[in-house]
C-alpha cells in the first residue's frame, strides 16, 4: 500500500521565536561583524553580490568606530546634520503621537528606530531624484528640510493642508522635494519608481529614482513586477526593502523571510543586491551612495535590504504588546541608530552629551512652535477643514458635467 | 483605413508630434502587436519609444504611472481586456486617484489600450467587455470607438488628455463593421464610409456621443459592435430607431442622450457585457432620472447573459439583431 510509504504531510506555518512574555531569539538575523563585508566596485554584476545579499554591510563596530571598506568619508559637519534630521524625525513622531492621543489628528504612524535609513539615504541622493516612499519614510521629507508646519497641516487635514484634506494623515506628497504621493495601497509605488527611472533613461536624463517597500509588502505582486522591470530595462533605480521584522502583527518569516534574505530576491532577479545594517547611519549612507552611483553611471538597479527593527507600534491603531515581547527593541542586536551615531561622533571628539541635550531641547521647541503655527489653520477638533466643495476638484483635470451637478447638489443639501 | 490602421496612424502621429509619447506592452515592439496595431512603429520611432514588455499587466501599468509622474505620456497596451485584472490595483488605486490624492501635485496622463468584446469565438478570456469595472472608477475616462474614423480621432484625444483613459477597442470591428449577422459575409472597412480616415492630425472630442442613425420611434443607446447590431435590428424590424453611439462611456455626453429620449419617448440600451450591474444599469438610471415624464414605455436592456462568455454557444450569448429587434418591438408595443 503506497499510502503507507510516507508519513502524513504537514503544513509549515512560520512563527516568531518571541511572543508576549517570551524573549525573541535574534540569531535568525545572521549578523556579520562591522567591516567584514567587502565593497565591490560599482560595476559589480548581480551574481558578484550574492554573498553580500546573504551577509550584512556594517561600518560602526561595537566601540562605535567606523571600520572596513564601506566606511564613508563623511565630515563631522554632515554627520551632525544627519543626526539632527534623525532627531527631528524622532521628536516630531513623538509629538504627533501625543497630538493623536489628544484627538487633534485622527491617525499617525511613527518610524521610531528606522530614522537612519531615510535620513542617510536622502543625503546620498541629489536634487531632482525622486523617491517613491511608503508611509514610514517621513525622514526623507525632514532630511530635505520640508517645513514641519506644512507636514503638520497635512496631518491635521486643516485649512492649510496642501492635500486639501483628501488624504489620511502621513500620506504626504511633495513633488518639489522628490517625494512621490503616498498611497494606502501597499507596494504599488515600488514598480512606479521603476517606471520613473525608465522615463529618466528614455529622455537621456541623469536623474535616478528610489523606491521603498517594507518586508511584509514584498509579498505583493508589485514587488516582483518592480524587480522584473528594473532588471529587464536596467532602470536607474534603487529598490529599498526596509526589513523592520514586522508587518503589523506578522513576523517577517510569514512574508517569506525565513531561511532567505530579502536581498537574495534581488540577486535571483539579476539585480545587484546588498543587505545592510539599517541602524548604522554610516553604512546606510555608504550603501545608498554605492547604489546611486551605479544608477547614475547607467550600471542598472540595486536592491538594498535594510535590516532594522520597528521599535514603535505599527500605527496609532495598533498595540504590539498583543503579539510580541514588550522589551524587544532593547534586545534587538543592532540597537538604536540615533544613539549609535552619537557615540560615534563622541568617539571622534565631535559630540558631547551636553550638545545632545541642548540639540534635543532646541528641536523640541522647534516642533512645538511648528505645531502651534499649524494649529492656527485649524484641527480636526475645531472642524476648520478645507471646504466640501473642494472634494470635487482634481478628480479630473477639468471638472466633468456630472461632478458639477453633484457639487451643486452637495451645496444645496448641506 | 481599417480600425487597426487608424489606431496605428493615431499612435504614429502622436509619437511624431510629442517626444514624451511612448508606446509599450506585450509583443507591441518588434512584432507590432498580436493585432498588428503597432506594426512598424518601433522600426520608425526606435526601441526607446516603442518597446516590448514583460508579461505583467501590473508592471506595465505601474511603470506607466511612474513615467507619467516623470512627465512622459505613455500609451500602453493590455493584450486583451480580459487580462487587465492583474493591473486593476494600479489602475483603480493609483492612476485614477493620483491627481486627486496629491491635489494636482502628480498626474497620470496615460492611455491604456485594450482589445475587448466578443463575436469572435474567443471563449471566456478573449471576449469579455469589462467597461463597467472602469466606468465605476472615479478619475478614469472610458472610451470605446466603433469605426476607424472615430478610433483615430478618439485615440489622439485620449493621448492628449490629462486624465488616465481606458481605451477599449472592439476587436470584432478591427477589420470591418459587424452587425451580428454571423451567417453573412463581413464587409471590409474599405467599403464603409466611416473607413475614410484622414492621414493627418484631427481629433474626435471626448464626452461627445454621435447620432449614428437619426430616427423618431425610439432611442437606442449603444457603443462598440452593438452600434451595427442596432442598425441591423432597425433595418430588420422597420422600426425608425435613433441610434446613439456613446463613444465616451464615462464621463459621457448626457445632453445628446436626453435630447433624443425626450424626442422619441422610448429607450433601448444595448451592450455585450453581462447584465447585472453592467454599464447599462447606469444608462437606464440616467434616462429614468432625466427623461421620466417623457417616457412612454419601460426602458429595455439587451445585454450578454449573466454567465461567463462561452465558446460553443457564441451566438446564443452574443446579443444579435434578433434579440435587439425583439426588445425594440417590446418598447414600441408598450
Amino acid at each position: 500500500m503506497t499510502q503507507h510509504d510516507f508519513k502524513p504531510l504537514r503544513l509549515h506555518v512560520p512563527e516568531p521565536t518571541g511572543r508576549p512574555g517570551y524573549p525573541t531569539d535574534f540569531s535568525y538575523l545572521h549578523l556579520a561583524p562591522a567591516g567584514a563585508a567587502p565593497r565591490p566596485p560599482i560595476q559589480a554584476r548581480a551574481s558578484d553580490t550574492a554573498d553580500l545579499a546573504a551577509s550584512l554591510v556594517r561600518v560602526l563596530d561595537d566601540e562605535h568606530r567606523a571600520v572596513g571598506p564601506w566606511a564613508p568619508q563623511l565630515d563631522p559637519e554632515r554627520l551632525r546634520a544627519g543626526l539632527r534630521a534623525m532627531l527631528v524625525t524622532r521628536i516630531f513622531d513623538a509629538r504627533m503621537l501625543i497630538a493623536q492621543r489628544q484627538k487633534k489628528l485622527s491617525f499617525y504612524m511613527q518610524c521610531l528606530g528606522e530614522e537612519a535609513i531615510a535620513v542617510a539615504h536622502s543625503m546620498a541622493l541629489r536634487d531632482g531624484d525622486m523617491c517613491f516612499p511608503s508611509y514610514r519614510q517621513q525622514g526623507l521629507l525632514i532630511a530635505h528640510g520640508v517645513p514641519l508646519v506644512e507636514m503638520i497641516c497635512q496631518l491635521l487635514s486643516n485649512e492649510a493642508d496642501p492635500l486639501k484634506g483628501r488624504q489620511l494623515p502621513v500620506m504626504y506628497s511633495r513633488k518639489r522635494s522628490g517625494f512621490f504621493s503616498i498611497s494606502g495601497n501597499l507596494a504599488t509605488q515600488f514598480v512606479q519608481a521603476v517606471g520613473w527611472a525608465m522615463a529618466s533613461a528614455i529622455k537621456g536624463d541623469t536623474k535616478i529614482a528610489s523606491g521603498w517597500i517594507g518586508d511584509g509588502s514584498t509579498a505583493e505582486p508589485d514587488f516582483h513586477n518592480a524587480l522584473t522591470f528594473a532588471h529587464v530595462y536596467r532602470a536607474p533605480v534603487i529598490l529599498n526593502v526596509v526589513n523592520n521584522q514586522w508587518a503589523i502583527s506578522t513576523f517577517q518569516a510569514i512574508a517569506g523571510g525565513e531561511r532567505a534574505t530579502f536581498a537574495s530576491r534581488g540577486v535571483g532577479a539579476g539585480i545587484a543586491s546588498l543587505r545592510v545594517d539599517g541602524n548604522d547611519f554610516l553604512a546606510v549612507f555608504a550603501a545608498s551612495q554605492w547604489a546611486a552611483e551605479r544608477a547614475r553611471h547607467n550600471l542598472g538597479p540595486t536592491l538594498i535590504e535594510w535590516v532594522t527593527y520597528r521599535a514603535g507600534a505599527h500605527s496609532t491603531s495598533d498595540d504590539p504588546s498583543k503579539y510580541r515581547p514588550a522589551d524587544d527593541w532593547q534586545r534587538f542586536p543592532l540597537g538604536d541608530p540615533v544613539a549609535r551615531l552619537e557615540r560615534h561622533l563622541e568617539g571622534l571628539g565631535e559630540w558631547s552629551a551636553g550638545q545632545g541635550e541642548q540639540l534635543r531641547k532646541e528641536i523640541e521647541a522647534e516642533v512645538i512652535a511648528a505645531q502651534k503655527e499649524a494649529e492656527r489653520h485649524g484641527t480636526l477638533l475645531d472642524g476648520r477643514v478645507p471646504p466640501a466643495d473642494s472634494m470635487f476638484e482634481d478628480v479630473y483635470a477639468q471638472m466633468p458635467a456630472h461632478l458639477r451637478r453633484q457639487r451643486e447638489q452637495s451645496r444645496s443639501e448641506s | 483605413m481599417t480600425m487597426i490602421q487608424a489606431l496605428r496612424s493615431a499612435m504614429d502621429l502622436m509619437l511624431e508630434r510629442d517626444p514624451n509619447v511612448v508606446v509599450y506592452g506585450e509583443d507591441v515592439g518588434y512584432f507590432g502587436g498580436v493585432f498588428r496595431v503597432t506594426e512598424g512603429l518601433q522600426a520608425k520611432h526606435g526601441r526607446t519609444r516603442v518597446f516590448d514588455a514583460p508579461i505583467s499587466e501590473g508592471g506595465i501599468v505601474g511603470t506607466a504611472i511612474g513615467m507619467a509622474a516623470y512627465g512622459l505620456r505613455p500609451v500602453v497596451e493590455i493584450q486583451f481586456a480580459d487580462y487587465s485584472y492583474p493591473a486593476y490595483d494600479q489602475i483603480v488605486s493609483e492612476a485614477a486617484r493620483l491627481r486627486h490624492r496629491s491635489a494636482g501635485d502628480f498626474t497620470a496622463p496615460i492611455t491604456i489600450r485594450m482589445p475587448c468584446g466578443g463575436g469572435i469565438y474567443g471563449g471566456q478570456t478573449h471576449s469579455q467587455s469589462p467597461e463597467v469595472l472602469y466606468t465605476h472608477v472615479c478619475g478614469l475616462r472610458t472610451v470605446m470607438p466603433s469605426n476607424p474614423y472615430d478610433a483615430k480621432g478618439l485615440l489622439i484625444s485620449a493621448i492628449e488628455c490629462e486624465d488616465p483613459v481606458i481605451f477599449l477597442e472592439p476587436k470584432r470591428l478591427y477589420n470591418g463593421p459587424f452587425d451580428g449577422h454571423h451567417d453573412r459575409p463581413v464587409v471590409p472597412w474599405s467599403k464603409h464610409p466611416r473607413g475614410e480616415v484622414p492621414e493627418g492630425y484631427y481629433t474626435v472630442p471626448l464626452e461627445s456621443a454621435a447620432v449614428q442613425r437619426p430616427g423618431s420611434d425610439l432611442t437606442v443607446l449603444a457603443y462598440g459592435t452593438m452600434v451595427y447590431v442596432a442598425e441591423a435590428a432597425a433595418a430588420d424590424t422597420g422600426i425608425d430607431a435613433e441610434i446613439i453611439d456613446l463613444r465616451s462611456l464615462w464621463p459621457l455626453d448626457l445632453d445628446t442622450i436626453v435630447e433624443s429620449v425626450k424626442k422619441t419617448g422610448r429607450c433601448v440600451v444595448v451592450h455585450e457585457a453581462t447584465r447585472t450591474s453592467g454599464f447599462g444599469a447606469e444608462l437606464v438610471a440616467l434616462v429614468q432620472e432625466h427623461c421620466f415624464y417623457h417616457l412612454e414605455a419601460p426602458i429595455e436592456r439587451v445585454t450578454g447573459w449573466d454567465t461567463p462568455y462561452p465558446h460553443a454557444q457564441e451566438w446564443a450569448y452574443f446579443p444579435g439583431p434578433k434579440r435587439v429587434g425583439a426588445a425594440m418591438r417590446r418598447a414600441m408595443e408598450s
Side-chain angles (χ1 to χ4, degrees), chain A residues 39-49 52 271-273 290 294 299 301:
Chain A
R39 185 184 188 281
I42 57 169
Q43 292 79 5
R45 292 157 181 258
S47 53
D48 299 337
T49 63
L52 283 166
I271 295 172
S273 302
W290 188 83
R294 274 176 62 79
L299 296 166

Side-chain angles (χ1 to χ4, degrees), chain B residues 272-294:
Chain B
E272 283 184 63
T274 54
R275 173 169 309 207
T276 304
S277 302
F279 187 56
E282 184 62 37
L283 293 172
V284 169
L286 283 171
V287 171
Q288 191 275 142
E289 283 165 17
H290 293 270
C291 311
F292 184 74
Y293 295 106
H294 293 78

Side-chain angles (χ1 to χ4, degrees), chain A residues 162 166-167 173-175 181-183 185 188 191-192 195-196 203 205 222 225 229 233 391 393-394 396-397 402, chain B residues 19-20 52-54 56 59 62-63 66-67 70 89-90 93-94 99-103 105-106 139-140 163 250:
Chain A
R166 294 175 191 155
Q167 274 277 46
S173 173
R174 209 170 198 272
K175 192 177 188 175
S181 158
I182 295 179
S183 169
N185 294 66
T188 51
V191 68
Q192 292 162 4
W196 196 97
K203 298 302 280 186
D205 204 341
D222 277 333
N225 293 342
F229 278 68
Y233 300 107
M391 75 181 155
E393 293 160 9
D394 296 327
Y396 298 90
H402 72 283
Chain B
N20 290 325
D52 289 318
S56 166
T63 51
M67 288 185 198
Y70 176 92
D89 192 26
Q90 287 288 347
S93 313
E94 303 293 319
R99 176 188 295 276
H100 193 257
R101 77 168 193 238
S102 70
D105 198 21
F106 292 94
L140 294 181
D163 303 317
W250 198 262

Side-chain angles (χ1 to χ4, degrees), chain B residues 3-65:
Chain B
M3 193 184 278
I4 290 167
Q5 291 163 332
L7 293 164
R8 184 193 305 148
S9 170
M11 282 185 276
D12 187 15
L13 211 104
M14 290 311 292
L15 280 159
E16 218 155 71
R17 283 172 73 99
D18 184 347
N20 290 325
V21 169
V22 290
V23 172
Y24 64 102
E26 295 155 23
D27 303 296
V28 159
Y30 183 86
F31 178 60
V34 294
F35 293 106
R36 320 310 303 149
V37 179
T38 55
E39 190 172 30
L41 295 182
Q42 185 180 74
K44 184 171 171 188
H45 300 281
R47 265 207 309 263
T48 59
R49 302 285 305 283
V50 181
F51 51 91
D52 289 318
I55 304 175
S56 166
E57 291 76 12
I60 290 169
V61 177
T63 51
I65 294 166

Side-chain angles (χ1 to χ4, degrees), chain A residues 392 395-396 398-405, chain B residues 141 207 251:
Chain A
F392 297 99
V395 182
Y396 298 90
Q398 311 291 330
M399 195 181 298
H402 72 283
L403 286 181
R404 291 199 300 274
R405 283 196 300 275
Chain B
R141 291 180 180 272
E207 289 181 66

Side-chain angles (χ1 to χ4, degrees), chain A residues 68-125:
Chain A
W70 285 92
Q73 304 305 315
L74 276 173
D75 60 60
E77 209 45 56
R78 291 194 76 195
L79 290 177
R80 279 191 292 263
L83 175 63
R84 185 177 210 286
M86 281 203 287
L87 275 170
V88 173
T89 306
R90 180 167 295 184
I91 291 165
F92 182 83
D93 274 359
R95 288 296 308 184
M96 293 307 112
L97 199 61
I98 294 166
Q100 195 278 335
R101 297 307 185 214
Q102 294 169 335
K103 296 185 167 43
K104 287 177 177 172
L105 44 121
S106 64
F107 178 76
Y108 194 70
M109 300 178 103
Q110 305 173 81
C111 65
L112 183 65
E114 303 174 34
E115 296 91 345
I117 300 166
V119 170
H121 185 82
S122 173
M123 287 171 62
L125 297 178

Side-chain angles (χ1 to χ4, degrees), chain A residues 21-84:
Chain A
Y22 302 89
T24 299
D25 173 6
F26 283 107
S27 63
Y28 75 88
L29 287 171
H30 296 291
L31 304 180
R39 185 184 188 281
I42 57 169
Q43 292 79 5
R45 292 157 181 258
S47 53
D48 299 337
T49 63
D51 289 345
L52 283 166
S55 179
L56 196 68
V57 173
R58 303 176 70 185
V59 170
L60 294 172
D61 69 10
D62 293 342
E63 272 75 53
H64 310 291
R65 293 172 306 210
V67 297
W70 285 92
Q73 304 305 315
L74 276 173
D75 60 60
E77 209 45 56
R78 291 194 76 195
L79 290 177
R80 279 191 292 263
L83 175 63
R84 185 177 210 286

Side-chain angles (χ1 to χ4, degrees), chain A residues 7-319:
Chain A
K7 288 180 191 163
L9 295 166
R10 270 170 206 252
L11 182 71
H12 174 66
V13 181
E15 261 292 302
T17 54
R19 284 297 191 188
Y22 302 89
T24 299
D25 173 6
F26 283 107
S27 63
Y28 75 88
L29 287 171
H30 296 291
L31 304 180
R39 185 184 188 281
I42 57 169
Q43 292 79 5
R45 292 157 181 258
S47 53
D48 299 337
T49 63
D51 289 345
L52 283 166
S55 179
L56 196 68
V57 173
R58 303 176 70 185
V59 170
L60 294 172
D61 69 10
D62 293 342
E63 272 75 53
H64 310 291
R65 293 172 306 210
V67 297
W70 285 92
Q73 304 305 315
L74 276 173
D75 60 60
E77 209 45 56
R78 291 194 76 195
L79 290 177
R80 279 191 292 263
L83 175 63
R84 185 177 210 286
M86 281 203 287
L87 275 170
V88 173
T89 306
R90 180 167 295 184
I91 291 165
F92 182 83
D93 274 359
R95 288 296 308 184
M96 293 307 112
L97 199 61
I98 294 166
Q100 195 278 335
R101 297 307 185 214
Q102 294 169 335
K103 296 185 167 43
K104 287 177 177 172
L105 44 121
S106 64
F107 178 76
Y108 194 70
M109 300 178 103
Q110 305 173 81
C111 65
L112 183 65
E114 303 174 34
E115 296 91 345
I117 300 166
V119 170
H121 185 82
S122 173
M123 287 171 62
L125 297 178
R126 294 187 180 187
D127 281 348
D129 295 342
M130 184 66 74
C131 284
F132 287 75
S134 79
Y135 46 63
R136 226 183 286 281
Q137 277 81 49
Q138 52 264 57
L140 292 171
L141 288 168
I142 288 168
H144 220 273
V146 173
L148 300 182
V149 177
E150 186 188 307
M151 291 173 70
I152 300 170
C153 286
Q154 194 282 327
L155 297 172
L156 293 169
S157 287
N158 67 14
E159 287 171 347
D161 172 7
L163 305 184
K164 301 183 182 176
R166 294 175 191 155
Q167 274 277 46
L168 200 66
V170 313
M171 306 282 179
Y172 308 105
S173 173
R174 209 170 198 272
K175 192 177 188 175
R176 62 191 186 281
S177 300
F179 191 97
F180 184 73
S181 158
I182 295 179
S183 169
N185 294 66
L186 297 176
T188 51
Q189 76 288 343
F190 214 50
V191 68
Q192 292 162 4
V194 177
W196 196 97
M198 288 169 68
S200 183
I202 287 168
K203 298 302 280 186
D205 204 341
T206 57
K207 299 185 188 106
I208 64 168
S210 182
W212 296 83
I213 202 166
D215 45 290
S217 306
T218 61
E220 291 281 3
D222 277 333
F223 172 72
H224 305 274
N225 293 342
L227 265 57
T228 301
F229 278 68
H231 164 72
V232 167
Y233 300 107
R234 290 189 201 163
V237 63
I238 308 172
L239 297 165
N240 301 281
V241 179
V242 182
N243 181 1
N244 67 16
Q245 317 305 319
W246 293 94
I248 307 186
S249 73
T250 311
F251 181 58
Q252 57 104 39
I254 283 280
E258 196 175 61
R259 299 185 192 178
T261 68
F262 293 100
S264 68
R265 268 72 160 179
V267 179
I271 295 172
S273 302
L274 307 173
R275 187 167 178 263
V276 181
D277 180 346
N279 293 1
D280 178 339
F281 187 90
L282 297 175
V284 174
F285 179 82
S288 299
Q289 197 181 39
W290 188 83
E293 287 303 300
R294 274 176 62 79
R296 264 186 250 287
H297 285 92
N298 213 29
L299 296 166
T302 304
L303 185 145
I304 308 176
E305 175 183 348
W306 305 109
V307 180
T308 184
Y309 186 84
R310 194 196 78 211
H314 164 70
S315 73
T316 50
S317 307
D318 176 49
D319 176 6

